[in-house]
């Protein structure tokens, strides 16, 4: 049985539910005949918005009637609008079949809707990490994870990644200072592993099932919580999709972060976290103190869409989004084959929106990308932005294939090739 207290930092331990937020959930569950003079909600008849009709790209429209509109405009439960939460639970059950879904213990699967997956991740880090903690992260690392973890005073234990994501041998190496038997008595033993399993940002790498199984087994041996940051889950190019860590989580040691940003809209800011209720409870306490709940209007948009489409249509939509990005990836790969042979190395992205190029003969891409490339009117991200250890130079760059047209991609990669040739000449 998991002892979740081992993983909570002092701030999270000290959190209490907000009494008014708990009341919001009681009110939400009460029959309409209940007379409430308890809640301090504003009177929604005074809100100027009444209903909405959303015109969809396929020509249809989705209506938010006055009743749903007033729900969306009012304060609502911290874990999310009840109907949307139910629907997302059903989705997680169908897609991942979490083994602890029917548990009656603290590890029972629960779900909370958040302002993008970023907020859920940040809240989870602020629950689990404390000054001086060692945290296992892949290198290169999503900068959005770096900026939420570093100020908490943690040390990064870097795990190498390749086109197949986190390297198991490198993870074992990072853990080799400890043994499974002494971790409970070693205050410096890592407790958290952060991993982007699909379409990694910036590498485009994706973990195959056998690596995930090995990683999960190590997490069991070393008693780690896995933060499964999976916003590119629906943007996997290989079929069938690789089973998630959540789907193999018999213990309740996985917090899974999903996002609608890449498949419905980034600006809606809707994500959700799924995992053991003992940890979700603490995340909710934090949200009760910070944002109260994710935007009701955004949640209602997502709910109405999923209700209208149903799961099947939603999955068909996400498949068409994945197909689009796969085709864009192939255009960038074709341009790379045409111009970058002998000048750069890369692996074929398994999903997501990025290619991670290693520029040959360029030890540090920073100046090349932040000055010379801008002069040549082509933009990339220098690899150092993704280094957990910012003091080391990087010979990599991240290229994103989501927006540029075929012609722009061809021309942009051609400009990159000439930049590399110039840089190589300078170093000779
Ligand atoms: N994790 C990773 C790896 C990402 O690339 C992103 C988006 N850039 C996020 C989390 C945050 O996504 P969201 O829009 O759901 O907050």
């Amino acid at each position: 049985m998991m002892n979740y207290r081992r993983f909570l930092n002092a701030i999270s331990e000290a959190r209490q539910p907000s009494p008014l937020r708990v009341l919001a959930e009681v009110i939400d569950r009460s029959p309409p005949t209940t007379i409430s003079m308890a809640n301090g909600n504003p009177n929604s008849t005074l809100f100027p918005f009444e209903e909405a009709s959303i015109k969809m790209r396929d020509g249809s429209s989705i209506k938010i009637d006055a009743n749903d509109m007033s729900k969306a405009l009012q304060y609502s439960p911290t874990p999310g609008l009840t109907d949307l939460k139910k629907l997302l639970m059903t989705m997680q059950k169908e897609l991942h079949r979490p083994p602890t879904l029917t548990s009656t213990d603290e590890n029972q699967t629960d779900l909370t809707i958040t302002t993008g997956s970023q907020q859920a991740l940040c809240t989870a880090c602020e629950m689990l990490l404390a000054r001086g903690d060692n945290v296992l992260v892949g290198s290169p690392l999503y900068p959005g994870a770096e900026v939420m973890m570093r100020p908490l005073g943690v040390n990064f234990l870097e795990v190498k990644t390749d086109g197949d994501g986190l390297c198991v041998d490198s993870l074992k190496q990072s853990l080799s200072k400890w043994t499974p038997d002494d971790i409970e008595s070693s205050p410096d033993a890592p407790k958290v592993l952060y991993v982007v399993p699909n379409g990694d940002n910036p590498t485009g790498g994706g973990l195959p099932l056998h690596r995930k199984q090995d990683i999960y087994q190590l997490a069991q041996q070393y008693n780690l919580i896995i933060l499964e940051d999976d916003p590119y889950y629906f943007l996997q190019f290989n079929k069938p999709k690789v089973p998630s860590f959540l789907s193999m989580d018999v213990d309740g040691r996985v917090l899974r972060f999903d996002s609608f940003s890449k498949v419905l809209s980034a600006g809606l800011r809707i994500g959700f976290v799924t995992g053991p209720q003992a940890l979700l409870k603490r995340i909710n306490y934090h949200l009760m103190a910070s944002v109260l709940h994710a935007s009701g209007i955004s949640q209602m948009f997502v709910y109405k869409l999923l209700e209208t489409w149903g799961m099947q249509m939603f999955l068909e939509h996400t498949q068409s989004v994945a197909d689009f990005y796969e085709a864009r990836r192939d255009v960038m790969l074709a341009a790379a084959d045409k111009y970058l042979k002998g000048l750069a190395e890369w692996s074929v992205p398994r999903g997501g929106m990025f290619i991670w190029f290693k520029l040959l003969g360029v030890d540090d891409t920073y100046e090349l990308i932040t000055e010379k490339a801008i002069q040549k009117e082509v933009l990339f991200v220098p690899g150092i932005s993704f280094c957990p250890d910012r003091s080391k130079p990087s010979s990599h760059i991240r290229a994103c294939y989501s927006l540029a047209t075929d012609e722009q991609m061809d021309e942009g990669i051609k400009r990159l090739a000439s930049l590399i040739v110039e840089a190589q000449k300078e170093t000779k």
Side-chain angles (χ1 to χ4, degrees):
M1 203 51 211
M2 297 278 293
N3 169 13
Y4 292 103
R5 289 196 67 182
R6 170 175 184 263
F7 297 96
L8 303 178
N9 64 23
I11 296 176
S12 187
E13 279 263 37
R15 289 192 190 282
Q16 294 286 326
S18 155
L20 296 179
R21 289 276 82 210
V22 172
L23 185 70
E25 286 168 42
V26 175
I27 290 161
D28 195 65
R29 284 195 303 269
S30 303
T33 44
T34 307
I35 300 162
S36 172
M37 283 173 274
N39 46 337
N41 286 0
N43 191 319
S44 63
T45 59
L46 302 175
F47 298 154
F49 312 99
E50 193 169 23
E51 358 179 297
S53 173
I54 307 157
K55 185 164 172 232
M56 307 299 286
R57 281 192 191 277
D58 67 3
S60 65
S61 58
I62 290 179
K63 259 196 107 60
I64 302 180
D65 66 21
N67 187 32
D68 283 337
M69 195 64 166
S70 92
K71 258 194 220 165
L73 292 171
Q74 190 52 275
Y75 286 120
S76 51
T78 294
L81 289 178
T82 310
D83 290 343
L84 179 60
K85 183 177 157 171
K86 255 193 223 150
L87 223 148
L88 296 180
M89 267 298 225
T90 307
M91 178 156 127
Q92 294 305 62
K93 194 169 147 188
E94 283 190 24
L95 296 177
H96 306 287
R97 306 198 175 283
T100 55
L101 197 76
T102 52
S103 165
T104 48
D105 296 317
E106 280 198 302
N107 65 357
Q108 187 187 27
T109 312
D110 197 1
L111 182 148
T112 285
I113 299 159
T114 52
T115 302
S117 57
Q118 186 78 19
Q119 185 194 30
L121 272 165
C122 194
T123 308
C125 287
E126 289 177 15
M127 162 178 74
L128 300 171
L129 304 179
R131 188 153 295 278
D133 279 1
N134 286 311
V135 188
L136 293 153
V137 296
S139 177
L141 173 65
Y142 165 53
E146 197 261 353
V147 294
M148 69 176 80
M149 292 182 196
R150 191 181 294 284
L152 301 173
V154 302
N155 308 310
F156 291 120
L157 296 180
E158 294 183 33
V159 180
K160 283 199 194 101
T161 53
D162 60 20
D164 282 340
L166 282 189
C167 299
V168 176
D169 284 344
S170 174
L171 178 58
K172 282 186 185 156
Q173 179 63 34
S174 297
L175 286 165
S176 62
K177 205 179 138 196
W178 302 273
T179 65
D181 296 330
D182 69 16
I183 42 156
E184 302 297 331
S185 55
S186 309
D188 64 344
K191 295 181 191 144
V192 172
L193 165 67
Y194 168 80
V195 54
V196 182
N198 295 297
D200 194 2
N201 182 359
T203 65
L207 284 168
L209 181 59
H210 63 92
R211 277 202 189 181
K212 280 190 177 164
Q213 285 165 334
D214 289 348
I215 292 168
Y216 189 78
Q217 213 175 26
L218 283 167
Q220 287 187 304
Q221 285 166 2
Y222 286 84
N223 199 9
L224 303 169
I225 296 278
I226 298 178
L227 302 182
E228 178 177 44
D229 181 16
D230 206 0
Y232 303 99
Y233 171 77
F234 293 110
L235 271 58
Q236 290 178 64
F237 303 145
N238 298 345
K239 288 184 213 116
K241 289 187 179 65
V242 183
S244 63
F245 281 112
L246 182 67
S247 73
M248 54 185 77
D249 186 21
V250 287
D251 299 339
R253 61 175 67 255
V254 172
L255 275 175
R256 177 180 166 81
F257 301 87
D258 280 279
S259 172
F260 285 124
S261 289
K262 325 291 167 179
V263 290
L264 295 184
S265 150
L268 279 176
R269 306 304 302 127
I270 294 293
F272 48 106
V273 47
T274 315
Q277 53 113 345
L279 296 182
L280 268 281
K281 183 169 89 176
R282 296 276 148 190
I283 288 179
N284 290 337
Y285 289 177
H286 188 161
L287 299 176
M288 285 177 185
S290 55
V291 290
L292 307 187
H293 58 75
S295 156
I297 289 286
S298 290
Q299 292 189 67
M300 188 56 81
F301 258 58
V302 173
Y303 174 66
K304 282 286 160 192
L305 179 84
L306 295 180
E307 191 197 29
T308 309
W309 275 4
M311 184 69 78
Q312 191 54 33
M313 247 178 103
F314 170 71
L315 291 178
E316 281 165 20
H317 167 75
T318 60
Q319 188 53 52
S320 70
V321 176
D323 292 345
F324 173 90
Y325 286 117
E326 187 174 7
R328 304 309 307 145
R329 173 200 71 175
D330 290 343
V331 174
M332 188 173 271
L333 287 173
D337 278 336
K338 191 163 148 194
Y339 299 113
L340 295 180
K341 281 212 173 122
L343 295 176
E345 287 170 355
W346 60 94
S347 50
V348 175
R350 306 261 200 281
M353 312 189 308
F354 310 109
I355 302 186
W356 184 236
F357 289 108
K358 179 176 187 196
L359 309 192
L360 301 177
V362 184
D363 292 336
D364 185 354
T365 57
Y366 185 75
E367 201 194 308
L368 187 81
I369 296 306
T370 56
E371 289 176 25
K372 296 183 179 141
I374 293 174
Q375 281 159 20
K376 268 202 195 311
E377 297 189 351
V378 62
L379 305 181
F380 299 99
V381 186
I384 190 145
S385 305
F386 304 92
C387 292
D389 178 357
R390 289 275 164 83
S391 66
K392 285 191 205 143
S394 166
S395 51
H396 284 85
I397 64 163
R398 189 191 79 176
C400 182
Y401 48 79
S402 61
L403 294 175
T405 62
D406 291 16
E407 296 71 31
Q408 286 172 329
M409 217 111 80
D410 187 85
E411 177 57 29
I413 298 294
K414 191 170 154 192
R415 289 183 201 175
L416 173 64
S418 70
L419 282 162
I420 303 171
V421 171
E422 283 165 30
Q424 287 178 340
K425 273 189 205 145
E426 273 173 30
T427 50
K428 268 185 193 149

